[in-house]
Amino acid sequence: MLVRIPNLLSQEEVAQCRGLLSRSQWVDGKVTAGAQSAGAKHNLQIPEDSPDAREIGSLILGKLGRSELFTSAALAMKVFPPLFNRYDAGMAFDTHIDNAIRFMPASLTGGASIRVRTDMSATLFLTDPADYDGGELVVLDTYGEHRVKLPAGDMVLYSATSRHHVTPVTRGSRWSSFFWIQSMVRDEAARTMLFDLDSAIQGLRTKVSDTSEVVGLTGLYHNLLRRWADS
Ligand code: NI
């Protein structure tokens, strides 16, 4: 499943994020990479516990909570605190797979050890596509290769089980936020069917009133969710 979430952030919010990021300290992106991906990763990141990163991260988490599309597609149980990366000219991230389990930084959890199983990966674009060349997110799944380069403020949600890479930036600079989601519905096929069913019901509700058939389908959705969700 690969889902585009348009306008998660407004252009004013993108500008606010970029303002905070531009004054932040950027470090080598290998700090959060696993052993295989460290060799493939050539970019810059904001440190996980940076106050600026946490401020923007809170803004993003708030917007996610109000997005019906994100709620329906992710059925999120836990969201990893958003991270931020930057690819300047010559930087890229070769083919890799994201670590299955991520640990939230102890400095953000009050010392508690909180793990997130990465069911889905998210990239929120913070640079307009006209401002850089290259820098496409390429996701490889069972349906083939998907090339993603979205307007600033748009987000893509995709399966963390996929292999993916970011093509080299050849002009300008590409900034984004990235993070992972542990879903209440671990099985990807079940999660995808729930999303398809919910999308169809929402579409139907705009065409007909809440007939007994629509109520019946809504009940079916919730009963499937009750059957498949961990909480
Ligand atoms: Ni990745």
PDB file of all heavy atoms in Angstrom, residues 37 87 93-94 96-99 121 137 158 162 164-166 178 180, ligand 1:
ATOM      1  N   SER A  37      22.036  -0.163   6.358  1.00  0.00           N
ATOM      2  CA  SER A  37      21.684   1.114   5.746  1.00  0.00           C
ATOM      3  C   SER A  37      22.738   2.187   5.982  1.00  0.00           C
ATOM      4  O   SER A  37      22.820   3.148   5.217  1.00  0.00           O
ATOM      5  CB  SER A  37      20.304   1.573   6.213  1.00  0.00           C
ATOM      6  OG  SER A  37      20.213   1.611   7.604  1.00  0.00           O
ATOM      7  N   TYR A  87      18.982  16.377   1.831  1.00  0.00           N
ATOM      8  CA  TYR A  87      19.903  15.891   0.807  1.00  0.00           C
ATOM      9  C   TYR A  87      20.347  17.098   0.000  1.00  0.00           C
ATOM     10  O   TYR A  87      19.542  17.713  -0.704  1.00  0.00           O
ATOM     11  CB  TYR A  87      19.207  14.896  -0.134  1.00  0.00           C
ATOM     12  CG  TYR A  87      18.757  13.606   0.512  1.00  0.00           C
ATOM     13  CD1 TYR A  87      17.567  13.551   1.241  1.00  0.00           C
ATOM     14  CD2 TYR A  87      19.492  12.440   0.367  1.00  0.00           C
ATOM     15  CE1 TYR A  87      17.143  12.378   1.824  1.00  0.00           C
ATOM     16  CE2 TYR A  87      19.058  11.248   0.945  1.00  0.00           C
ATOM     17  CZ  TYR A  87      17.892  11.226   1.672  1.00  0.00           C
ATOM     18  OH  TYR A  87      17.462  10.058   2.247  1.00  0.00           O
ATOM     19  N   PHE A  93      20.414   8.105  -0.902  1.00  0.00           N
ATOM     20  CA  PHE A  93      20.257   6.990   0.041  1.00  0.00           C
ATOM     21  C   PHE A  93      19.994   5.758  -0.818  1.00  0.00           C
ATOM     22  O   PHE A  93      18.935   5.635  -1.439  1.00  0.00           O
ATOM     23  CB  PHE A  93      19.080   7.270   0.995  1.00  0.00           C
ATOM     24  CG  PHE A  93      19.066   6.454   2.260  1.00  0.00           C
ATOM     25  CD1 PHE A  93      18.273   6.850   3.337  1.00  0.00           C
ATOM     26  CD2 PHE A  93      19.827   5.295   2.393  1.00  0.00           C
ATOM     27  CE1 PHE A  93      18.239   6.111   4.518  1.00  0.00           C
ATOM     28  CE2 PHE A  93      19.803   4.553   3.562  1.00  0.00           C
ATOM     29  CZ  PHE A  93      19.013   4.952   4.615  1.00  0.00           C
ATOM     30  N   ASP A  94      20.986   4.871  -0.889  1.00  0.00           N
ATOM     31  CA  ASP A  94      20.886   3.703  -1.761  1.00  0.00           C
ATOM     32  C   ASP A  94      19.856   2.708  -1.204  1.00  0.00           C
ATOM     33  O   ASP A  94      19.368   2.860  -0.082  1.00  0.00           O
ATOM     34  CB  ASP A  94      22.259   3.038  -1.908  1.00  0.00           C
ATOM     35  CG  ASP A  94      23.304   4.010  -2.455  1.00  0.00           C
ATOM     36  OD1 ASP A  94      22.910   4.944  -3.180  1.00  0.00           O
ATOM     37  OD2 ASP A  94      24.499   3.849  -2.123  1.00  0.00           O
ATOM     38  N   HIS A  96      17.728   0.096   0.568  1.00  0.00           N
ATOM     39  CA  HIS A  96      17.819  -0.448   1.926  1.00  0.00           C
ATOM     40  C   HIS A  96      16.421  -0.818   2.400  1.00  0.00           C
ATOM     41  O   HIS A  96      15.423  -0.524   1.741  1.00  0.00           O
ATOM     42  CB  HIS A  96      18.433   0.593   2.879  1.00  0.00           C
ATOM     43  CG  HIS A  96      17.548   1.777   3.083  1.00  0.00           C
ATOM     44  ND1 HIS A  96      17.469   2.799   2.162  1.00  0.00           N
ATOM     45  CD2 HIS A  96      16.674   2.101   4.071  1.00  0.00           C
ATOM     46  CE1 HIS A  96      16.599   3.691   2.580  1.00  0.00           C
ATOM     47  NE2 HIS A  96      16.091   3.299   3.736  1.00  0.00           N
ATOM     48  N   ILE A  97      16.368  -1.441   3.541  1.00  0.00           N
ATOM     49  CA  ILE A  97      15.069  -1.695   4.197  1.00  0.00           C
ATOM     50  C   ILE A  97      15.171  -1.131   5.608  1.00  0.00           C
ATOM     51  O   ILE A  97      16.231  -1.194   6.236  1.00  0.00           O
ATOM     52  CB  ILE A  97      14.725  -3.205   4.170  1.00  0.00           C
ATOM     53  CG1 ILE A  97      13.298  -3.444   4.648  1.00  0.00           C
ATOM     54  CG2 ILE A  97      15.725  -4.026   4.970  1.00  0.00           C
ATOM     55  CD1 ILE A  97      12.707  -4.724   4.089  1.00  0.00           C
ATOM     56  N   ASP A  98      14.073  -0.549   6.083  1.00  0.00           N
ATOM     57  CA  ASP A  98      14.109   0.094   7.400  1.00  0.00           C
ATOM     58  C   ASP A  98      14.142  -0.960   8.503  1.00  0.00           C
ATOM     59  O   ASP A  98      13.536  -2.029   8.371  1.00  0.00           O
ATOM     60  CB  ASP A  98      12.884   1.004   7.564  1.00  0.00           C
ATOM     61  CG  ASP A  98      12.909   2.181   6.592  1.00  0.00           C
ATOM     62  OD1 ASP A  98      13.977   2.442   6.010  1.00  0.00           O
ATOM     63  OD2 ASP A  98      11.869   2.823   6.417  1.00  0.00           O
ATOM     64  N   ASN A  99      14.819  -0.651   9.598  1.00  0.00           N
ATOM     65  CA  ASN A  99      14.858  -1.571  10.733  1.00  0.00           C
ATOM     66  C   ASN A  99      13.439  -1.903  11.197  1.00  0.00           C
ATOM     67  O   ASN A  99      12.572  -1.025  11.213  1.00  0.00           O
ATOM     68  CB  ASN A  99      15.601  -0.924  11.914  1.00  0.00           C
ATOM     69  CG  ASN A  99      17.097  -0.916  11.712  1.00  0.00           C
ATOM     70  OD1 ASN A  99      17.603  -1.382  10.698  1.00  0.00           O
ATOM     71  ND2 ASN A  99      17.810  -0.365  12.685  1.00  0.00           N
ATOM     72  N   SER A 121       6.183   3.293   6.784  1.00  0.00           N
ATOM     73  CA  SER A 121       7.133   4.402   6.753  1.00  0.00           C
ATOM     74  C   SER A 121       6.425   5.616   6.166  1.00  0.00           C
ATOM     75  O   SER A 121       5.539   5.471   5.321  1.00  0.00           O
ATOM     76  CB  SER A 121       8.334   4.062   5.866  1.00  0.00           C
ATOM     77  OG  SER A 121       9.001   2.915   6.327  1.00  0.00           O
ATOM     78  N   LEU A 137      11.950   9.573  -4.075  1.00  0.00           N
ATOM     79  CA  LEU A 137      11.826   8.373  -3.246  1.00  0.00           C
ATOM     80  C   LEU A 137      11.331   7.258  -4.168  1.00  0.00           C
ATOM     81  O   LEU A 137      10.292   7.418  -4.821  1.00  0.00           O
ATOM     82  CB  LEU A 137      10.821   8.624  -2.127  1.00  0.00           C
ATOM     83  CG  LEU A 137      10.402   7.392  -1.310  1.00  0.00           C
ATOM     84  CD1 LEU A 137      11.570   6.829  -0.512  1.00  0.00           C
ATOM     85  CD2 LEU A 137       9.233   7.755  -0.381  1.00  0.00           C
ATOM     86  N   TYR A 158       3.924   4.467   3.149  1.00  0.00           N
ATOM     87  CA  TYR A 158       4.148   3.240   2.389  1.00  0.00           C
ATOM     88  C   TYR A 158       4.591   2.119   3.328  1.00  0.00           C
ATOM     89  O   TYR A 158       4.978   2.375   4.477  1.00  0.00           O
ATOM     90  CB  TYR A 158       5.167   3.462   1.261  1.00  0.00           C
ATOM     91  CG  TYR A 158       6.527   3.951   1.684  1.00  0.00           C
ATOM     92  CD1 TYR A 158       7.601   3.056   1.796  1.00  0.00           C
ATOM     93  CD2 TYR A 158       6.765   5.287   1.976  1.00  0.00           C
ATOM     94  CE1 TYR A 158       8.861   3.495   2.183  1.00  0.00           C
ATOM     95  CE2 TYR A 158       8.008   5.732   2.363  1.00  0.00           C
ATOM     96  CZ  TYR A 158       9.056   4.831   2.463  1.00  0.00           C
ATOM     97  OH  TYR A 158      10.294   5.272   2.861  1.00  0.00           O
ATOM     98  N   SER A 162       8.889  -2.703   2.410  1.00  0.00           N
ATOM     99  CA  SER A 162       9.417  -2.506   1.052  1.00  0.00           C
ATOM    100  C   SER A 162      10.896  -2.129   1.088  1.00  0.00           C
ATOM    101  O   SER A 162      11.377  -1.523   2.043  1.00  0.00           O
ATOM    102  CB  SER A 162       8.644  -1.385   0.357  1.00  0.00           C
ATOM    103  OG  SER A 162       8.881  -0.164   1.033  1.00  0.00           O
ATOM    104  N   HIS A 164      13.561   0.407  -0.524  1.00  0.00           N
ATOM    105  CA  HIS A 164      13.397   1.741  -1.111  1.00  0.00           C
ATOM    106  C   HIS A 164      14.726   2.481  -1.144  1.00  0.00           C
ATOM    107  O   HIS A 164      15.687   2.065  -0.497  1.00  0.00           O
ATOM    108  CB  HIS A 164      12.339   2.537  -0.348  1.00  0.00           C
ATOM    109  CG  HIS A 164      12.553   2.588   1.127  1.00  0.00           C
ATOM    110  ND1 HIS A 164      12.052   1.639   1.987  1.00  0.00           N
ATOM    111  CD2 HIS A 164      13.244   3.457   1.903  1.00  0.00           C
ATOM    112  CE1 HIS A 164      12.401   1.931   3.220  1.00  0.00           C
ATOM    113  NE2 HIS A 164      13.138   3.031   3.194  1.00  0.00           N
ATOM    114  N   HIS A 165      14.778   3.534  -1.946  1.00  0.00           N
ATOM    115  CA  HIS A 165      15.974   4.387  -1.988  1.00  0.00           C
ATOM    116  C   HIS A 165      15.585   5.800  -2.389  1.00  0.00           C
ATOM    117  O   HIS A 165      14.454   6.048  -2.833  1.00  0.00           O
ATOM    118  CB  HIS A 165      17.040   3.815  -2.930  1.00  0.00           C
ATOM    119  CG  HIS A 165      16.654   3.758  -4.380  1.00  0.00           C
ATOM    120  ND1 HIS A 165      15.958   2.707  -4.924  1.00  0.00           N
ATOM    121  CD2 HIS A 165      16.882   4.622  -5.394  1.00  0.00           C
ATOM    122  CE1 HIS A 165      15.777   2.904  -6.218  1.00  0.00           C
ATOM    123  NE2 HIS A 165      16.327   4.069  -6.536  1.00  0.00           N
ATOM    124  N   VAL A 166      16.518   6.723  -2.194  1.00  0.00           N
ATOM    125  CA  VAL A 166      16.334   8.113  -2.635  1.00  0.00           C
ATOM    126  C   VAL A 166      17.409   8.385  -3.675  1.00  0.00           C
ATOM    127  O   VAL A 166      18.607   8.202  -3.411  1.00  0.00           O
ATOM    128  CB  VAL A 166      16.450   9.101  -1.452  1.00  0.00           C
ATOM    129  CG1 VAL A 166      16.349  10.543  -1.946  1.00  0.00           C
ATOM    130  CG2 VAL A 166      15.351   8.822  -0.417  1.00  0.00           C
ATOM    131  N   PHE A 178      10.695  12.349   8.209  1.00  0.00           N
ATOM    132  CA  PHE A 178      10.423  10.922   8.006  1.00  0.00           C
ATOM    133  C   PHE A 178      10.227  10.266   9.366  1.00  0.00           C
ATOM    134  O   PHE A 178      10.800  10.698  10.365  1.00  0.00           O
ATOM    135  CB  PHE A 178      11.556  10.248   7.201  1.00  0.00           C
ATOM    136  CG  PHE A 178      12.878  10.221   7.910  1.00  0.00           C
ATOM    137  CD1 PHE A 178      13.326   9.047   8.515  1.00  0.00           C
ATOM    138  CD2 PHE A 178      13.668  11.341   8.004  1.00  0.00           C
ATOM    139  CE1 PHE A 178      14.546   9.010   9.189  1.00  0.00           C
ATOM    140  CE2 PHE A 178      14.880  11.322   8.682  1.00  0.00           C
ATOM    141  CZ  PHE A 178      15.313  10.156   9.266  1.00  0.00           C
ATOM    142  N   TRP A 180       8.081   6.510  11.380  1.00  0.00           N
ATOM    143  CA  TRP A 180       7.466   5.189  11.213  1.00  0.00           C
ATOM    144  C   TRP A 180       6.224   5.072  12.089  1.00  0.00           C
ATOM    145  O   TRP A 180       6.103   5.765  13.089  1.00  0.00           O
ATOM    146  CB  TRP A 180       8.462   4.093  11.621  1.00  0.00           C
ATOM    147  CG  TRP A 180       9.706   4.131  10.805  1.00  0.00           C
ATOM    148  CD1 TRP A 180       9.912   3.515   9.595  1.00  0.00           C
ATOM    149  CD2 TRP A 180      10.920   4.825  11.105  1.00  0.00           C
ATOM    150  NE1 TRP A 180      11.173   3.789   9.132  1.00  0.00           N
ATOM    151  CE2 TRP A 180      11.808   4.587  10.031  1.00  0.00           C
ATOM    152  CE3 TRP A 180      11.331   5.633  12.158  1.00  0.00           C
ATOM    153  CZ2 TRP A 180      13.087   5.122  10.001  1.00  0.00           C
ATOM    154  CZ3 TRP A 180      12.602   6.178  12.133  1.00  0.00           C
ATOM    155  CH2 TRP A 180      13.472   5.913  11.061  1.00  0.00           C
TER     156      TRP A 180
HETATM  157 NI    NI B   1      14.367   4.007   4.677  1.00  0.00          NI
END
